[in-house]
Amino acid sequence: MKYTQLGRTGLKVSRIVLGTMNFGPQTDEAESHTIMDAAQGAGINFFDTANVYGWGANKGRTEEILGSWFAKGGDRREKTVLATKGFANMGVDGKVWPNQDKLSALNIRHSVDASLRRLGTDYIDLYQFHHVDRSTPWEEIWQAMDVLVQQGKVLYVGSSNHAGWNLAQANETAARRGSYGL
């Protein structure tokens, strides 16, 4: 397996990432565990998921499957660079109560804590913003992430589904705050 640095960090990740979006809705838990064992056996150390994966009434199920795999031991968690994402509506039955979606500081905090419970771990290697939130200022988003990094719940911050100018805006705001950024 070939490895590379994750962005500007010192973190080494496999050039192949195991995406887990179908764990739960398409692939049952036992088969998902088999796939993860095979991936790790092949040297893949970078696994990607999101809080909403599992979809519909099963939102969060994919993270639970990863959590049950980590719980089997054998250094599974220690050998995995775990990436998850937050943004999605996590309200029961798709009903959004205020602050149960997007990137407010409150929702980020709740989303990270809920992901940690489902994943059965005390930290997330790479927490990613799944989508752009045009209603929340980057200053607020970085304030929330800085707290989570200081608490040790998140090690690195990233993004998914962002235009280049969104990434530049996010990193400019982070730099002004003295944050590491994406």
Side-chain angles (χ1 to χ4, degrees):
M1 181 59 55
K2 293 183 180 180
Y3 299 90
T4 189
Q5 303 297 118
L6 178 66
R8 299 176 290 134
T9 75
L11 186 65
K12 290 188 179 181
V13 295
S14 53
R15 294 186 70 81
I16 297 174
V17 179
L18 178 64
T20 63
M21 184 171 73
N22 290 321
F23 289 3
Q26 302 293 323
T27 309
D28 69 23
E29 186 167 343
E31 189 173 358
S32 298
H33 285 193
T34 300
I35 291 168
M36 288 185 280
D37 283 335
Q40 206 167 64
I44 297 171
N45 74 337
F46 197 10
F47 290 15
D48 178 72
T49 192
N51 62 349
V52 73
Y53 292 171
W55 312 108
N58 295 312
K59 287 183 249 183
R61 179 67 183 127
T62 303
E63 286 184 335
E64 291 171 350
I65 289 171
L66 270 86
S68 66
W69 182 72
F70 291 144
K72 292 169 90 173
D75 290 332
R76 284 175 173 83
R77 176 61 184 105
E78 292 76 11
K79 292 178 180 177
T80 302
V81 175
L82 174 62
T84 194
K85 298 181 266 316
F87 179 90
N89 163 9
M90 293 302 286
V92 178
D93 299 326
K95 297 176 184 167
V96 180
W97 190 254
N99 304 307
Q100 287 186 324
D101 66 352
K102 302 197 178 163
L103 299 176
S104 70
L106 181 62
N107 188 54
I108 289 171
R109 181 181 203 150
H110 288 172
S111 294
V112 166
D113 287 343
S115 287
L116 290 170
R117 279 191 301 276
R118 286 188 295 268
L119 291 160
T121 189
D122 58 354
Y123 69 98
I124 295 164
D125 298 295
L126 175 63
Y127 191 74
Q128 301 170 93
F129 311 129
H130 210 160
H131 299 282
V132 175
D133 182 352
R134 288 173 174 60
S135 61
T136 304
W138 280 111
E139 290 82 4
E140 177 180 350
I141 294 168
W142 284 116
Q143 178 270 330
M145 295 313 302
D146 288 346
V147 169
L148 292 166
V149 168
Q150 289 168 359
Q151 292 173 338
K153 293 179 179 182
V154 171
L155 302 182
Y156 301 96
V157 182
S159 66
S160 175
N161 302 313
H162 285 61
W165 69 270
N166 294 124
L167 301 175
Q169 187 180 42
N171 278 336
E172 287 173 11
T173 304
R176 278 194 313 271
R177 293 180 46 80
S179 300
Y180 188 73
L182 302 170

